[in-house]
Structures are given as C-alpha cells and as structure tokens.
C-alpha cells in the first residue's frame, strides 16, 4: 500500500465534505466553484454563464445552522474541574493560547459541519536528565492538536482485548515555510 493511499471511507466522503465546507462558506464559495454547483446551460456563452452565476443566489442557511447548533451546545459555559497543577495546561491546551473551552468549540463546530474531526494528544519527550521543573519551564508538556476530517486520509484498526482500537493514522500536514 502506498504511503499516500486513501482509506475507502475517506475517498467516499471527501467530495461530500467539500460540498459541506463550500455551503458553510456561503455564496462566494458556491459561485467560485462554477459548474461544480451551477451547471452551464446548453447553448449558454461564457458571458451569459457569468451573468447567470452573478444573478444566482445562495441562501446561507448552512453557516447559520452550524453557528446556531454550536451556540446551543455552548450557551452555558462548561464547568471544568481539574487539580491545581493542570489549570495552567487547561488555560492553553494547544500551546498557542487556546483554552480547553475554545478548543472544544472548534471541535464541536467541525463535527456539526462535516460529521467528524480528529484530536491528537501529543507529549514531546523530556530531554534525558531534565527535571519536571525544567520541562515545565521549557513548555515541554502534553498538548492537543485539532485535525479537520480532510486531513485524516487513512487509518487502520485492529481488535485488541475484544475492542476495536485505532492502530495507525495517516495525516496530511503542511509544514510552515520560511520567510
């Protein structure tokens, strides 16, 4: 199996996810997709088609629905109780300033929009010989990473102790480019 091979469920759903993302984005995204969503009529010139697209309206109910459902879930602030030692971590679960509630809102919004997403819990290795205090000072601690459904392109599961468990996940990631 090639390293970039897609899981059959991913292949089946990625077109659906793109439609959902475009509908959530609104009229501009639907218009930008052109014939994908607004087929060209037979005998229509390019200029006529462009005018046809510009006249067409897309009612943005998708984004309103996603926002409304997400808002309903978070209309009351979550009550988070953790030991004192974890409060700093809860205040910044992604290592870029996002707290646990904000992270949960991102995840819920993605699940409402397309039906799934992924959360990776990563814990970098502490350098050999480093104390817990040194690791904390260097911000070496567990953190959460949110992945859109489209970024999780392949996975494997296996039965372990009578439970189906994830044994492999393949992710699309973009490395930051230097400036």
């Amino acid at each position: 199996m090639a390293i970039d091979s897609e899981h059959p469920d991913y292949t089946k759903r990625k077109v659906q996810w793109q439609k959902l993302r475009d509908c959530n984005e609104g009229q501009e995204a639907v218009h930008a997709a052109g014939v994908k969503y607004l087929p060209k009529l037979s005998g229509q010139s390019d200029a006529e088609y462009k005018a046809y697209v510009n006249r067409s309206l897309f009612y943005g109910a998708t984004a309103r629905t996603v926002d409304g459902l997400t808002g309903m879930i978070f209309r009351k602030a979550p009550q988070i109780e953790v030991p004192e030692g974890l409060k700093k971590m809860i205040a910044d679960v992604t290592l870029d300033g996002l707290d646990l509630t904000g992270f949960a809102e991102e995840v819920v919004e993605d699940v409402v929009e397309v039906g799934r997403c992924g959360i990776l819990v990563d814990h970098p290795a502490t350098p050999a010989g480093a104390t817990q205090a040194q690791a904390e000072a260097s911000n070496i601690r567990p953190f959460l990473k949110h992945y859109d459904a489209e970024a999780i392109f392949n996975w494997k599961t296996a039965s372990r102790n009578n439970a189906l468990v994830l044994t492999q996940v393949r992710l699309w990631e973009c490395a930051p480019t230097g400036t």
Side-chain angles (χ1 to χ4, degrees), residues 1 4-13 116 152-157:
M1 173 185 335
D4 61 350
S5 63
E6 296 176 353
H7 191 280
D9 191 52
Y10 176 89
T11 304
K12 181 173 113 178
R13 298 197 187 279
R116 70 169 73 163
I152 308 165
F153 70 94
N154 207 339
W155 57 92
K156 290 182 183 179
T157 58

Side-chain angles (χ1 to χ4, degrees), residues 86-149:
L86 292 180
K87 287 186 178 179
K88 183 179 175 189
M89 195 179 305
I90 296 301
D92 180 11
V93 296
T94 59
L95 295 181
D96 64 3
L98 189 62
D99 69 358
L100 185 59
T101 300
F103 185 82
E105 286 178 13
E106 280 186 2
V107 167
V108 167
E109 185 174 332
D110 219 17
V111 171
V112 169
E113 186 176 352
V114 297
R116 70 169 73 163
C117 70
I119 301 171
L120 174 70
V121 180
D122 198 1
H123 193 307
T126 304
T131 66
Q132 182 66 29
Q134 290 169 328
E136 286 177 16
S138 300
N139 216 16
I140 298 173
R141 62 173 182 81
F143 64 94
L144 304 178
K145 174 87 169 116
H146 169 241
Y147 286 90
D148 293 338

